[in-house]
Amino acid sequence: MMNKPAGCVSACRDTQHKTVLDFFPAEERVGLFPMGRLDKNSVGILLITDDGKLNRQLLAPENHIEKQYYVWGVGMLTEKKLDMLRNGVSVKGLSKPLKADSIRFLKQSKLCEIPVPIFKNRNYLLEEQPEQMAFCLEIVLTEGKRHEIKRLLEAIDCVAVALKRVSFAGIALDKSLKPGEYRKITEQERNLLLCYAQKPNF
C-alpha cells in the first residue's frame, strides 16, 4: 500500500516524470507495478503488486470493484446537480451516461484550507481567490474511465481542483503513511483482495 503523492505518474518507468516506483529502492522494484492508476496530480491509496492475475481481476470493469474518493471542487453545487450525478450525465465522447455509484456531500472549506495539493492547472484559482469556498464530495466508482470524476463535475458546470483516493477494494488508506511512503498490506487486507478474486463473477 502506497500513499501516492502529487507530481508522480502511476507507471513503472517514464522518461519525463517521476514514477511511483521511484520511491522504492532499486532492488525492491523488480517485478512490481501499480495496480491501476491515479492521475499525476491526484493523491491517495495505490496498491503496488507483482500479481498480474489479481491485478486483471480487480481492475476489470465488469467486476465492479469499489474505489472511494474525496474530491474538492468549485462552482454552484445544488441537490439537483447531485441527483444528476447519481442518475447519470451525458459526457462528450461516451455513448452511455456517466454516473457515480454513490455520492455524498461532506463539507465546505476555503480553497486555502484544502488538505491535499490542488491540481497544478488550478493553482491560479488558489492564487487569485484563496478565500473562495470549495465543496468536498465523497464519490464511489466501480469503473475506471479516464478522468471520470473531473468529467462528472464538468457535466454539472463545476471544476475539480483536488482529488484523493481513500480506499480501494474495501482497503482504506493507512492514515499513518505520509505522501510517498508505503508498507506491506496486512494479512487481513490480503485476504480481502483474495476474497474479491474468488467471487463468482471472476
Side-chain angles (χ1 to χ4, degrees), residues 6-25:
C8 63
V9 296
S10 301
C12 297
R13 59 186 65 86
D14 192 286
T15 57
Q16 296 181 328
H17 306 102
K18 188 171 186 175
T19 75
V20 292
L21 289 192
D22 288 331
F23 289 86
F24 291 74

Side-chain angles (χ1 to χ4, degrees), residues 83-152:
D83 285 339
M84 288 171 62
L85 296 182
R86 296 184 184 107
N87 296 326
V89 290
S90 297
V91 174
K92 185 178 180 180
L94 294 180
S95 58
K96 294 182 179 180
L98 203 59
K99 67 177 180 178
D101 289 82
S102 74
I103 187 165
R104 183 166 65 100
F105 173 82
L106 294 181
K107 61 181 179 180
Q108 281 189 314
S109 61
K110 297 177 182 178
L111 276 176
C112 60
E113 296 174 348
I114 292 177
V116 299
I118 288 179
F119 300 146
K120 281 192 174 182
N121 65 340
R122 302 301 180 195
N123 269 338
Y124 71 92
L125 293 171
L126 181 61
E127 294 168 358
E128 294 173 359
Q129 293 181 293
E131 302 291 312
Q132 181 181 358
M133 296 304 294
F135 56 81
C136 181
L137 302 176
E138 176 192 85
I139 293 181
V140 174
L141 302 176
T142 57
E143 293 187 37
K145 294 184 176 65
R146 186 172 175 81
H147 301 313
E148 187 167 1
I149 291 178
K150 295 176 184 177
R151 295 161 83 182
L152 281 168

Side-chain angles (χ1 to χ4, degrees), residues 13 16 28 30 39 42 61 75 95 114 145 175 182-183 194 197:
R13 59 186 65 86
Q16 296 181 328
E28 292 184 13
V30 180
D39 290 344
S42 298
S95 58
I114 292 177
K145 294 184 176 65
K175 293 181 180 179
Y182 58 90
R183 67 160 173 80
L194 294 177

